[in-house]
Amino acid sequence: LKDLAEQLGISISTVSRALKDHPDVNQATKTAVLNLARDLDYEPNLLALNLLNKHSNYIAVIVPRISYHLYAEAISGIEEIAEAKGYNLFICQSNESFEREAAFIKEFNAIRVAGFIISVSSNTNEFGHFKQLQKKNIPLVFFNRAFGDVAASQVIIDNHKAAYHAVDHLYNEGYRNIAYIGGPLNVQISQSREEGYIQALSDHNLNVNGHYIKHIDFSQKEAENATKQLLELSAPPDAILAFSDQLAIGAMLAIKKSGRKIPDDIAVIGFNNEPVDELIEPALTSIDQPAYDMGRKAAQMLFNQIENEISVVETKVLEATLIVRDTSQKSSK
Amino acid sequence: LKDLAEQLGISISTVSRALKDHPDVNQATKTAVLNLARDLDYEPNLLALNLLNKHSNYIAVIVPRISYHLYAEAISGIEEIAEAKGYNLFICQSNESFEREAAFIKEFNAIRVAGFIISVSSNTNEFGHFKQLQKKNIPLVFFNRAFGDVAASQVIIDNHKAAYHAVDHLYNEGYRNIAYIGGPLNVQISQSREEGYIQALSDHNLNVNGHYIKHIDFSQKEAENATKQLLELSAPPDAILAFSDQLAIGAMLAIKKSGRKIPDDIAVIGFNNEPVDELIEPALTSIDQPAYDMGRKAAQMLFNQIENEISVVETKVLEATLIVRDTSQKSSK
DNA sequence: ATGAAAGCGCTAACAA
DNA sequence: TTGTTAGCGCTTTCAT
């Protein structure tokens, strides 16, 4: 569009300077350029600019699903920081698919995004695509779900402790046969939660029963099935800690269908503190994660890398909070 | 990175050709280039390519909030079509802010996205930013929420009919004093629903009571307040049609707090058929919108414009479906 | 079959 | 104060 501005009969670089309010430019020409630019509603071509700068002011954000409350919140947190820095976000969802995740990384890398903020998909077992980024020195920050074999900055919650607290709470409420419904085995945060769960059982001198531990995909339906199996055990559990509220709700449905009462017969606790938790009956006890802050922090760490051009590997662990509602307190109390 | 490929001592253009499998290139050099490219893991710079082509293969998608089920679904639908065409998505949320919406349009325009798919924010009262796009002949498709004064392609549902059906259903269930809690006045789909609501009342020879119509912002809290006001009327309604499930849930909370029973004392119907609807007590009757198809259709219309380079203005109206659950059927029946 | 050169839109160093 | 030039990474005529 700069050609158009040459209607004024002046050189292209003068126009460029005028547009950028460069000091070395005649006030008269400056206003003339500005006026014409407005009339022609000139828009600088960022593509050209980015090519020139060899990088764009875009941050790629890859999450499993944007519809999960945690990710929607985290994205808003990332947005806040990124916008303040004048960066824009590429948001995309891997749909828990490793292939999509890898394809996005490749694609965004091709347009030279300034950095990546990623919560890894539950089906990601390789890390070549992450290593690729690091080899090229492209800033990368994991949040919520990291990938253990990749030494990158990350902001996560203390999953071990959070699960521990939840089990502790159940114990204090009188539940003794506590089951855990976790995610796929390769999801590290599910593992951490499982370890916290086991630790808490041990510390309370409770047996760790292999039948009480389930590993399923992230779907309400699977949680329902897993719970059904738990209830059919000769010694069914009297409490269930689930990896997410989605899974917890699946468990609740199965429990209701079996005719049992929540929380008197069986307690349920989930993770994520989804808004739905307080709307369902009984209201679901859940572990609240500071999702917005997680996003903010991840973005800050990323900019730290972008601006300092050094790849410091920091790990920020945030605290989660147990929000006690009705599914985990016996009404007889 | 092409410089690197010149380690082979051949010209830059030969490399370009080799990479593109051009016929006029020696098989030997071709493989040599390909091998080195792999070893150096060369990634073509899309920025440069886009600059050359004068447009990128990106579609900008602007929605009020990605956390609403409707938009999350629609985005997945858009994704399906866009990916098949080899395009990527810029997803961003206006947070119902006109300023953000306009800023995004400007920003994405600057990087020459191929087109826009937009669901307008509830605070958008101007349309200069949309007109700007049209003036530059940039493909634009509205979905779900369109802007009446802008002649652009759009895919929406028949909001009038959907609301009409809902009121009709309430009438058949015996409810006679039906209120409507709508969104802000400038949200056209809220207006259409209100018109359908009024039409249905008239057709059933029911009075249209001005006190029974509320216009609020999209928040559960506001719906709660509005409902409280409705219940305090000397002749409170015995049914509420809400603009969204979010508002319907706010209404339900207010009703429960007032000690009234749903659906015996008062019925509630929402829009969007959010997953939460069947989890709450009582399960919420809602109008299901074909969100995924809406996204697919919008993307198809956009590509129609992109590929044919003509701005046909089409309007696609999809049908919504009333999903009857417990909040709208008297239990005495 | 391959190389040289121009150009996409823009900025910045260098001249004038 | 303004103009000229080169170059960001790539493709594509036009020569060779």
Side-chain angles (χ1 to χ4, degrees):
Chain A
L1 311 196
K2 191 150 280 183
D3 314 74
L4 300 168
E6 288 189 56
Q7 288 178 7
L8 295 166
I10 58 177
S11 97
I12 191 170
S13 44
T14 308
V15 176
S16 170
R17 281 188 279 250
L19 254 22
K20 308 201 69 196
D21 203 28
H22 192 92
D24 291 353
V25 61
N26 191 313
Q27 190 57 45
T29 43
K30 198 183 287 185
T31 38
V33 170
L34 255 33
N35 285 338
L36 190 62
R38 183 169 28 74
D39 293 350
L40 268 42
D41 44 52
Y42 160 85
E43 294 263 16
N45 187 328
L46 272 193
L47 250 27
L49 258 177
N50 290 338
L51 178 56
L52 210 55
N53 303 332
K54 308 183 85 168
H55 79 275
S56 61
N57 60 328
Y58 290 93
I59 305 293
V61 179
I62 306 178
V63 298
R65 309 226 85 194
I66 52 176
S67 60
Y68 294 165
H69 178 242
L70 177 94
Y71 293 119
E73 281 291 300
I75 286 171
S76 293
I78 295 170
E79 251 174 9
E80 185 198 311
I81 303 295
E83 277 174 20
K85 297 270 187 188
Y87 279 66
N88 274 305
L89 261 38
F90 272 104
I91 302 166
C92 51
Q93 33 188 357
S94 64
N95 292 344
E96 305 282 10
S97 147
F98 158 69
E99 286 76 19
R100 281 175 61 96
E101 185 177 276
F104 280 132
I105 289 182
K106 205 170 152 61
E107 173 72 29
F108 289 132
N109 195 17
I111 62 158
R112 308 294 189 262
V113 295
F116 286 82
I117 297 180
I118 301 177
S119 198
V120 314
S121 118
S122 61
N123 291 303
T124 296
N125 296 306
E126 302 166 43
F127 49 87
H129 51 320
F130 299 136
K131 287 284 185 202
Q132 200 80 332
L133 292 180
Q134 300 194 304
K135 213 164 92 189
K136 301 195 180 176
N137 247 304
I138 297 167
L140 163 65
V141 172
F142 289 125
F143 79 99
N144 193 37
R145 298 196 205 155
F147 198 92
D149 298 338
V150 178
S153 286
Q154 49 187 262
V155 35
I156 49 176
I157 66 154
D158 191 338
N159 288 288
H160 185 101
K161 196 198 245 179
Y164 189 101
H165 273 335
V167 172
D168 203 42
H169 162 69
L170 288 170
Y171 183 89
N172 292 335
E173 292 292 328
Y175 300 100
R176 291 292 179 271
N177 303 305
I178 305 170
Y180 174 65
I181 300 182
L185 273 168
N186 57 318
V187 176
Q188 299 220 340
I189 56 174
S190 178
Q191 287 306 301
S192 303
R193 289 172 192 180
E194 186 171 328
E195 285 159 23
Y197 153 84
I198 290 172
Q199 181 78 50
L201 292 186
S202 305
D203 288 358
H204 285 300
N205 294 313
L206 296 176
N207 283 331
V208 176
N209 179 342
H211 297 297
Y212 279 6
I213 300 181
K214 297 281 185 186
H215 298 110
I216 63 172
D217 275 346
F218 297 128
S219 88
Q220 191 177 296
K221 201 77 208 155
E222 288 231 18
E224 222 178 307
N225 291 337
T227 305
K228 198 151 158 271
Q229 289 168 24
L230 287 174
L231 298 179
E232 284 164 359
L233 291 174
S234 54
D238 63 359
I240 294 177
L241 173 63
F243 173 82
S244 70
D245 289 337
Q246 191 192 20
L247 301 190
I249 288 169
M252 285 175 73
L253 291 178
I255 294 167
K256 285 182 184 174
K257 278 184 191 159
S258 81
R260 275 163 248 239
K261 292 277 167 264
I262 306 171
D264 290 335
D265 298 333
I266 183 162
V268 180
I269 296 185
F271 268 81
N272 289 353
N273 197 24
E274 301 260 354
V276 60
D277 294 351
E278 43 191 19
L279 302 174
I280 58 182
E281 299 270 343
L284 178 61
T285 293
S286 183
I287 287 140
D288 182 57
Q289 309 186 50
Y292 192 88
D293 280 345
M294 204 139 91
R296 281 175 44 102
K297 189 68 201 162
Q300 281 162 350
M301 283 162 97
L302 190 77
F303 282 113
N304 193 16
Q305 286 184 45
I306 291 174
E307 287 163 2
N308 299 324
E309 297 188 15
I310 42 151
S311 55
V312 274
V313 173
E314 347 168 40
T315 295
K316 176 77 182 177
V317 177
L318 300 177
E319 290 299 320
T321 320
L322 181 68
I323 309 289
V324 177
R325 296 202 182 85
D326 305 333
T327 55
S328 64
Q329 305 181 94
K330 295 200 179 176
S331 51
S332 54
K333 280 189 61 158
Chain B
L1 310 194
K2 190 149 281 182
D3 314 74
L4 299 168
E6 287 187 56
Q7 289 180 8
L8 295 166
I10 58 176
S11 95
I12 191 170
S13 42
T14 309
V15 175
S16 170
R17 280 187 279 249
L19 253 22
K20 308 202 70 193
D21 204 28
H22 191 94
D24 291 353
V25 61
N26 192 314
Q27 189 56 44
T29 44
K30 199 182 287 186
T31 37
V33 170
L34 255 32
N35 285 339
L36 190 62
R38 183 168 28 73
D39 293 350
L40 268 44
D41 46 51
Y42 161 85
E43 294 263 16
N45 186 328
L46 273 193
L47 250 27
L49 257 176
N50 291 339
L51 178 57
L52 214 53
N53 302 333
K54 308 181 85 167
H55 80 273
S56 61
N57 61 328
Y58 290 92
I59 305 292
V61 179
I62 307 178
V63 298
R65 310 227 83 194
I66 52 176
S67 61
Y68 294 166
H69 178 243
L70 177 94
Y71 293 119
E73 280 291 300
I75 286 171
S76 293
I78 296 170
E79 252 175 7
E80 185 199 312
I81 303 295
E83 277 175 19
K85 297 271 187 186
Y87 280 65
N88 274 305
L89 262 37
F90 272 105
I91 302 166
C92 52
Q93 33 188 356
S94 64
N95 293 343
E96 305 281 10
S97 147
F98 157 69
E99 287 75 21
R100 280 174 64 95
E101 186 176 275
F104 281 133
I105 289 183
K106 204 169 153 61
E107 173 72 28
F108 288 133
N109 196 19
I111 62 158
R112 308 294 188 261
V113 295
F116 286 83
I117 297 180
I118 300 177
S119 198
V120 313
S121 117
S122 62
N123 291 304
T124 296
N125 296 306
E126 303 167 42
F127 49 86
H129 51 320
F130 299 137
K131 287 285 186 204
Q132 200 80 332
L133 292 180
Q134 299 194 304
K135 214 163 92 188
K136 301 195 179 175
N137 247 306
I138 297 167
L140 164 65
V141 172
F142 288 126
F143 78 100
N144 192 39
R145 297 196 206 155
F147 199 92
D149 299 337
V150 179
S153 286
Q154 49 186 261
V155 36
I156 49 175
I157 65 153
D158 191 338
N159 287 288
H160 184 102
K161 196 198 246 181
Y164 189 101
H165 273 336
V167 172
D168 204 44
H169 163 70
L170 288 170
Y171 183 89
N172 292 334
E173 293 291 328
Y175 298 100
R176 291 294 178 271
N177 303 305
I178 304 169
Y180 174 64
I181 299 182
L185 274 168
N186 56 317
V187 176
Q188 298 221 339
I189 56 175
S190 179
Q191 286 305 301
S192 304
R193 289 173 192 180
E194 185 170 330
E195 285 158 23
Y197 154 84
I198 290 172
Q199 181 79 49
L201 291 185
S202 303
D203 288 359
H204 285 301
N205 295 313
L206 295 176
N207 283 330
V208 176
N209 181 340
H211 297 298
Y212 279 6
I213 300 181
K214 296 282 184 185
H215 299 108
I216 62 172
D217 276 345
F218 297 128
S219 89
Q220 193 176 293
K221 203 75 208 156
E222 288 230 19
E224 225 179 303
N225 291 336
T227 305
K228 198 152 158 269
Q229 288 169 25
L230 288 173
L231 298 179
E232 283 165 358
L233 290 173
S234 53
D238 63 359
I240 293 177
L241 173 64
F243 172 83
S244 70
D245 289 338
Q246 192 192 21
L247 301 191
I249 287 169
M252 286 175 72
L253 291 178
I255 294 167
K256 285 182 183 174
K257 278 185 192 161
S258 81
R260 277 163 245 240
K261 292 278 167 262
I262 305 170
D264 290 335
D265 298 332
I266 184 161
V268 180
I269 296 185
F271 267 82
N272 289 355
N273 196 24
E274 301 260 354
V276 59
D277 294 351
E278 41 192 22
L279 301 174
I280 58 180
E281 299 270 342
L284 178 61
T285 294
S286 183
I287 289 141
D288 181 57
Q289 309 187 49
Y292 193 87
D293 280 344
M294 205 139 92
R296 279 175 45 103
K297 189 68 201 164
Q300 281 161 351
M301 283 162 97
L302 190 78
F303 282 113
N304 193 15
Q305 287 184 44
I306 292 175
E307 287 163 1
N308 299 323
E309 297 189 15
I310 43 153
S311 57
V312 275
V313 172
E314 345 168 42
T315 295
K316 176 78 183 176
V317 178
L318 300 176
E319 291 298 321
T321 321
L322 181 68
I323 309 289
V324 177
R325 296 201 183 85
D326 306 332
T327 55
S328 64
Q329 305 182 93
K330 294 202 179 179
S331 51
S332 54
K333 280 189 63 160

